[in-house]
Amino acid sequence: MPDRLARLIRERQPCVALTGAGISTESGIPDFRSPGGIWDQYDPMEYATIEAFRRDPVKVWEFYAKRLDVLREAEPNPAHLALAELERRGLLEAVITQNIDRLHELAGSEDVVEVHGSIRTSVCLSCGATATFDEVVELLVDEPAPACPRCGAILKPGVVMFGELLPPVEIDRAYELARRARLLLVVGSSLEVYPAAFFPLETLAAGGELAIVNRDPTMLDSRASVVLSGSAGEVLTAAVESLR
Ligand SMILES: [Zn+2]
């Protein structure tokens, strides 16, 4: 089956990837939405909404500091590396990702469209100053929440919180990529959350095909040209191998 995926990637260019939490679980980053995930311990309404942040940013940072600890240690896995390799070979135009973990970038992917923002930078909602991931980690050594170096307000993680608008430039680009793709390669996304659920529909409506690599069934399996349910790292590594 990875052979079939490889053939589709070769024949149906441009190919664009769409990735979700499932691609990063093999890097030790838990899928927050799965049972036993972090939302069982932390009520998203208390920790992940923009209203919660405005009400009590220090409390929200107690939660984010834990996430940062996990993200700081995480490294790209074979699935991230395979997508970066496909891009280097001119077989993958871009990666659209719901993930905020920077692992595509760390794997060497150059064109990454982050539709839920990224942990890479934090921003001050008062004065607009930004701080890098490393600067925030440094600030958190001494304080429970990172203060803006310019004005002292508590910085907000650069990820899209519930109740915030998705970044319009990235969303537009993602839709455009999805429409142009003759193959949309979905990896580790259950395709349940907006906007990810809409991109494959754009591809199909424009005459493109879908390939889905996910551990669990998705709503769009019946409309995909190929569905592979194993480990994303193993499946994509095998597909890249058979493209040699
Ligand atoms: Zn500031």
Side-chain angles (χ1 to χ4, degrees), residues 123-130 147-155:
V123 63
C124 175
L125 298 182
S126 295
C127 79
T130 59
C148 172
R150 199 192 290 166
C151 77
I154 301 297
L155 298 170

Side-chain angles (χ1 to χ4, degrees), residues 113-170:
V113 183
E114 294 166 319
V115 294
H116 288 168
S118 166
I119 205 80
R120 185 179 306 104
T121 52
S122 290
V123 63
C124 175
L125 298 182
S126 295
C127 79
T130 59
T132 66
F133 182 82
D134 289 341
E135 287 165 347
V136 167
V137 167
E138 189 65 29
L139 289 166
L140 286 170
V141 172
D142 298 320
E143 301 290 339
C148 172
R150 199 192 290 166
C151 77
I154 301 297
L155 298 170
K156 189 189 93 64
V159 305
V160 178
M161 294 183 162
F162 294 116
E164 280 191 296
L165 290 177
L166 295 165
V169 172
E170 283 76 8

Side-chain angles (χ1 to χ4, degrees), residues 9-117:
I9 291 170
R10 196 186 305 112
E11 290 170 0
R12 297 196 63 88
Q13 288 291 323
C15 171
V16 171
L18 169 64
T19 69
I23 196 173
S24 291
T25 51
E26 288 169 40
S27 290
I29 298 175
D31 181 350
F32 293 160
R33 288 187 181 79
S34 59
I38 202 158
W39 296 142
D40 285 354
Q41 303 161 46
Y42 290 93
D43 177 358
M45 291 303 119
E46 295 269 325
Y47 291 93
T49 68
I50 188 64
E51 291 80 11
F53 180 81
R54 290 187 191 280
R55 197 164 55 233
D56 191 347
V58 175
K59 178 177 172 179
V60 168
W61 270 104
E62 283 170 27
F63 160 71
Y64 265 94
K66 289 199 175 69
R67 276 186 90 180
L68 253 57
D69 276 343
V70 174
L71 293 168
R72 197 154 53 106
E73 302 288 319
E75 290 183 6
N77 67 60
H80 297 103
L81 296 171
L83 292 180
E85 176 67 15
L86 287 174
E87 185 186 23
R88 268 193 296 278
R89 292 197 207 170
L91 292 169
L92 186 72
E93 179 153 341
V95 178
I96 303 166
T97 188
Q98 301 166 263
N99 300 336
I100 52 90
D101 55 32
R102 312 169 301 157
L103 293 184
H104 286 298
E105 177 189 326
L106 294 175
S109 285
E110 297 201 349
D111 197 346
V112 183
V113 183
E114 294 166 319
V115 294
H116 288 168

